[in-house]
Amino acid sequence: MDVQPKASHFVNGAPMEDAAGEAIPLIYPATGERLGQVHAATEAVVEAALASAKAAQTGWAAMTGTERGRVLTRAAQIIRERNRALSELETMDTGKPISETLVADAASGADCLEYFGGMAATLTGETVELGGDFAYTIREPLGVCAAIGAWNYPMQIACWKAAPALACGNAMVFKPSEETPLSALKLAEILVEAGAPAGVFNVIQGAAEVGAALITDARVAKVSLTGSVPTGRKVYAAAAEGLKHATMELGGKSPLIIFEDADIEDAVSAAINANFYSTGQVCSNGTRVFVHRDLSAAFLDRLTERTARAVIGDPMDEATHIGPMASERQLSIVLGYIEKGRSEGARLVLGGKALPGPGWFIEPTIFADVTDEMTIAREEIFGPVMSVLGFDSEEEVIARANATEFGLAAGVFTRDLARAHRVIRALEAGTCWINQYNLTPIEMPFGGVKASGIGRENARAAMEAYSQPKAVYVGLTPVEAPF
Ligand code: NAD
């Protein structure tokens, strides 16, 4: 498959190239093969992208919500029609198996564009009666938004940021991760095809320096990042310096709590989805699996038996469950954590090894007898490494689940409804599941608390995050003055 894009960037409604920018190789994680390259944005490209977004934004905001929504809905239709090709591209870029990308990447992006396409016309203010006088509010877009993506869900992240921003009448400059530059370019093309005016959605490539150049520019009103906590701290600080709006979707080390009365098959399925989907490269993964001691042995038996059946291999084969890690660097980070797990005394019950190359494959790995102070229970690994920890009481597990700087997600498995809701209320996490894990429908707000982030994506919350109220007091009564 030829993945080489026409040009590195998409600015002002058209592909744009500037070969003076540093080369970024396109590497297929399943083989390590170099498939092409793009160039990082030079200062001239950054300037062109911001200038085109600034110029396009006012006209876009002046259109009705219905008109803007129609563009987004059309884009959703085009994405669905091209789902196969877009999914193959995403697999080439990330290494994620096609069995996943066909249903979870461009498809989720289409859901998002459709949802916010429908919601665009519902962006309204309110009237406030003031006893004679009254006030009203206008929900206004923020202006130009800079958005920066991670490499695990490139198309989904681009859509989750672009759709609500554009629905509200903002323009956007999007910088994908330098590891996965391709699908955002497709989204930009599709939006133009769907009728978006030139400049409303621009894509530029590059690493940290290009991201930093965007967020410090005076024309940018809002910054939205999906990335790690250390990057989040830097980007949030830069946004604060410029007094810009910010949404931070960051990392996690989320707890999945399985009580003794849980349905064991469902709990095992959830633990598998919460650790091995996308080869474990999911921010909301439930990587600390707390299992009640009464259930531990049965749970581990069933989990290892089912995980041992996972098909690892060619991500383009629809029968494959687990593809390679997205990059060689990520593979070596994960292997380092597996070594730490072993040396700190966790019991390896499955996996633990990289597969012989080519490609950056690794076995799904399960550690049991993990304790809270072990590195693998404290740090985000971002790979297929599950830590199983035992617990005895509800109170104890809540305290241990919350004893982390992260707070992205959490899950609880129990048949006791009162306990389920009680525990969820006590957990410090932004996105939670009861008897389910890692489903993130567009209708549900998504995001973290504590170090896992600021603000929410998806649902109506995202419309609020990409707009602000202007309050207007209307005097209908005589103006009183002291003299
Ligand atoms: P990363 O933090 O290394 O990079 C994220 C993005 O930020 C990249 O595009 C990178 O080029 C850019 N960047 C890096 N330094 C920057 C700087 N100083 N200024 C501006 N931009 C900068 O993260 P990653 O390795 O691409 O992705 C993995 C991380 O993302 C994990 O921690 C994961 O949990 C997190 N993540 C979070 C969510 C979520 O929604 N909460 C979703 C996916 C991934």
Side-chain angles (χ1 to χ4, degrees):
M1 183 186 182
D2 181 15
V3 302
Q4 179 65 45
K6 285 191 264 267
S8 301
H9 319 288
F10 193 96
V11 173
N12 204 22
M16 176 182 262
E17 191 55 274
D18 182 351
E22 199 187 324
I24 299 173
L26 305 173
I27 297 184
Y28 184 34
T31 59
E33 223 179 321
R34 187 177 168 134
L35 305 173
Q37 64 176 28
V38 293
H39 293 275
T42 54
E43 271 178 42
V45 170
V46 175
E47 174 53 35
L50 286 167
S52 81
K54 183 77 189 161
Q57 193 265 322
T58 323
W60 176 243
M63 287 165 64
T64 66
T66 306
E67 288 166 333
R68 288 195 301 271
R70 202 173 291 138
V71 171
L72 301 184
T73 311
R74 254 189 234 130
Q77 270 162 10
I78 298 172
I79 288 177
R80 289 214 174 91
E81 283 156 18
R82 295 182 197 160
N83 186 43
R84 167 68 59 175
L86 290 168
S87 304
E88 285 174 2
L89 186 73
E90 198 76 320
T91 289
M92 297 299 285
D93 214 8
T94 61
K96 295 197 294 179
I98 192 82
S99 57
E100 290 187 14
T101 52
L102 279 172
V103 296
D105 291 84
S108 159
D111 285 353
C112 179
L113 286 156
E114 192 168 55
Y115 177 84
F116 288 106
M119 201 167 264
T122 72
L123 190 69
T124 53
E126 54 186 0
T127 57
V128 185
E129 293 304 327
L130 297 170
D133 293 352
F134 75 101
Y136 65 95
T137 61
I138 307 169
R139 202 84 211 166
E140 295 186 330
L142 304 175
V144 174
C145 303
I148 300 174
W151 45 260
N152 59 339
Y153 278 84
M155 182 65 159
Q156 188 189 81
I157 290 170
C159 291
W160 282 17
K161 295 188 188 308
L166 268 50
C168 293
N170 301 283
M172 180 167 273
V173 180
F174 184 83
K175 188 199 82 62
S177 164
E178 59 276 26
E179 307 274 355
T180 51
L182 297 178
S183 48
L185 291 170
K186 291 287 177 201
L187 174 63
E189 271 173 36
I190 288 170
L191 280 164
V192 166
E193 212 178 314
V200 161
F201 182 71
N202 307 276
V203 174
I204 63 172
Q205 310 293 346
E209 320 75 65
V210 175
L214 282 180
I215 58 188
T216 47
D217 192 276
R219 285 163 288 193
V220 169
K222 167 163 180 134
V223 177
S224 177
L225 168 77
T226 297
S228 62
V229 173
T231 302
R233 288 189 207 283
K234 287 185 211 149
V235 171
Y236 195 38
E241 180 64 31
L243 294 170
K244 298 176 197 294
H245 297 256
T247 299
M248 299 286 129
E249 292 291 354
L250 309 176
K253 190 75 198 175
S254 301
L256 167 58
I257 302 174
I258 298 165
F259 283 99
E260 64 280 14
D261 63 344
D263 180 303
I264 195 160
E265 283 306 311
D266 277 354
V268 167
S269 299
I272 288 172
N273 292 341
N275 283 273
F276 302 136
Y277 202 74
S278 293
T279 321
Q281 303 163 118
V282 181
C283 53
S284 51
N285 269 357
T287 47
R288 289 184 296 149
V289 181
F290 290 96
V291 184
H292 192 277
R293 286 194 209 281
D294 290 353
L295 203 66
S296 286
F299 176 85
L300 270 174
D301 280 354
R302 199 65 191 119
L303 175 69
T304 41
E305 191 188 328
R306 287 179 53 185
T307 305
R309 286 194 231 136
V311 178
I312 313 174
D314 177 5
M316 280 299 177
D317 182 342
E318 281 189 37
T320 295
H321 300 126
I322 299 191
M325 301 299 300
S327 66
E328 191 169 17
R329 183 175 153 268
Q330 195 59 25
L331 174 65
S332 72
I333 291 173
V334 174
L335 289 171
Y337 276 111
I338 292 174
E339 193 37 50
K340 275 212 170 90
R342 278 207 182 100
S343 65
E344 291 178 14
R347 177 163 61 94
L348 183 69
V349 291
L350 194 77
K353 293 190 302 296
L355 302 187
W360 304 309
F361 292 90
I362 183 168
E363 295 169 330
T365 298
I366 300 169
F367 279 108
D369 303 339
V370 177
T371 54
D372 297 352
E373 64 292 345
M374 288 179 186
T375 310
I376 56 168
R378 286 186 291 107
E379 296 182 11
E380 183 182 48
I381 299 174
F382 226 56
V385 182
M386 184 191 307
S387 292
V388 180
L389 306 93
F391 75 92
D392 294 299
S393 77
E394 181 181 316
E395 202 182 13
E396 169 210 336
V397 78
I398 290 169
R400 290 171 59 199
N402 285 339
T404 167
E405 68 161 341
F406 298 109
L408 185 55
V412 174
F413 271 75
T414 176
R415 288 190 171 99
D416 177 342
L417 269 182
R419 173 157 68 183
H421 294 290
R422 188 168 65 233
V423 172
I424 287 291
R425 278 168 196 246
L427 291 173
E428 295 163 358
T431 308
C432 298
W433 294 274
I434 294 173
N435 295 335
Q436 188 50 273
Y437 203 87
N438 255 356
L439 295 185
T440 54
I442 217 73
E443 300 86 346
M444 179 172 135
F446 181 82
V449 301
K450 302 199 298 191
S452 290
I454 305 284
R456 294 292 176 271
E457 294 197 303
N458 298 344
R460 179 157 280 280
M463 296 292 281
E464 279 153 25
Y466 281 102
S467 62
Q468 59 193 344
K470 173 181 275 174
V472 184
Y473 187 108
V474 182
L476 299 176
T477 51
V479 179
E480 287 175 19
F483 53 85

